Amino acid sequence: EAGVTQFPSHSVIEKGQTVTLRCDPISGHDNLYWYRRVMGKEIKFLLHFVKESKQDESGMPNNRFLAERTGGTYSTLKVQPAELEDSGVYFCASSPWAGGTEAFFGQGTRLTVV
Amino acid sequence: AQTVTQSQPEMSVQEAETVTLSCTYDTSESDYYLFWYKQPPSRQMILVIRQEAYKQQNATENRFSVNFQKAAKSFSLKISDSQLGDAAMYFCAYRSADGLTFGKGTHLIIQP
């Protein structure tokens, strides 16, 4: 069974450009989460999808970040325009249902804004 | 809001020795789940061990075990017989219905 996959694994863009990160959750997992880890700091929650609906987007830092999950399958996280402080590792995780089950993580996308 | 605190930014242990990573959390909930995740240099987050708060028995997975003290809101991870492959960032996490709250992580170094 394929795990959570994220693409690209690494992206370097200039300040002001746009970047789109993609996450393919494990098939059948309704819950999809985005997290971000800025260098040396804790992993921060960004948002949570249940199928195609945004259950909680309280962690999204500002309106330069837009997440979608069309059809309740894969998800994209777009940063437009990117700023220097957006650099970090963006993790996606999925789980079959909310609650106590573990979340399965992707390998992350390292975003570097220069 | 839940908070998770890992007070050890870095720990070092000799190969084959035992090391304990500490984690405390703050919550007003009575039913929840706690996890330890490992992130090796490959960057993939891997679940190490899970503890249900309603279970008094400490979880164990081979060389990994936890000391769960619910009243003290403490959830430490013990790694026995440390191996070179255990070197990684270790994150303690609290799980609620909305998702995971992570600690800042502990960088574990294994000395050969």
Side-chain angles (χ1 to χ4, degrees), chain A residues 62-74:
Chain A
N62 51 61
N63 58 11
R64 296 186 293 103
F65 288 75
L66 175 64
E68 294 180 326
R69 192 182 181 194
T70 306
T73 54
Y74 70 90

Side-chain angles (χ1 to χ4, degrees), chain A residues 97-114:
Chain A
W97 57 83
T101 189
E102 69 171 285
F104 296 84
F105 280 80
Q107 82 281 14
T109 294
R110 182 178 296 280
L111 175 64
T112 303
V113 183
V114 297

Side-chain angles (χ1 to χ4, degrees), chain A residues 29-107:
Chain A
H29 283 193
D30 287 343
N31 292 272
L32 187 149
Y33 307 86
W34 283 98
Y35 295 88
R36 174 173 75 168
R37 183 169 192 238
V38 175
M39 184 62 68
K41 298 188 177 180
E42 63 266 42
I43 300 173
K44 290 281 196 180
F45 165 81
L46 295 178
L47 87 160
H48 170 203
F49 283 99
V50 177
K51 297 185 179 178
E52 67 274 10
S53 300
K54 293 176 185 174
Q55 179 77 9
D56 180 358
E57 52 183 330
S58 60
M60 296 287 265
N62 51 61
N63 58 11
R64 296 186 293 103
F65 288 75
L66 175 64
E68 294 180 326
R69 192 182 181 194
T70 306
T73 54
Y74 70 90
S75 175
T76 57
L77 179 65
K78 180 161 65 174
V79 185
Q80 179 184 29
E83 298 289 344
L84 297 178
E85 64 264 25
D86 300 332
S87 296
V89 180
Y90 290 77
F91 291 100
C92 173
S94 73
S95 66
W97 57 83
T101 189
E102 69 171 285
F104 296 84
F105 280 80
Q107 82 281 14

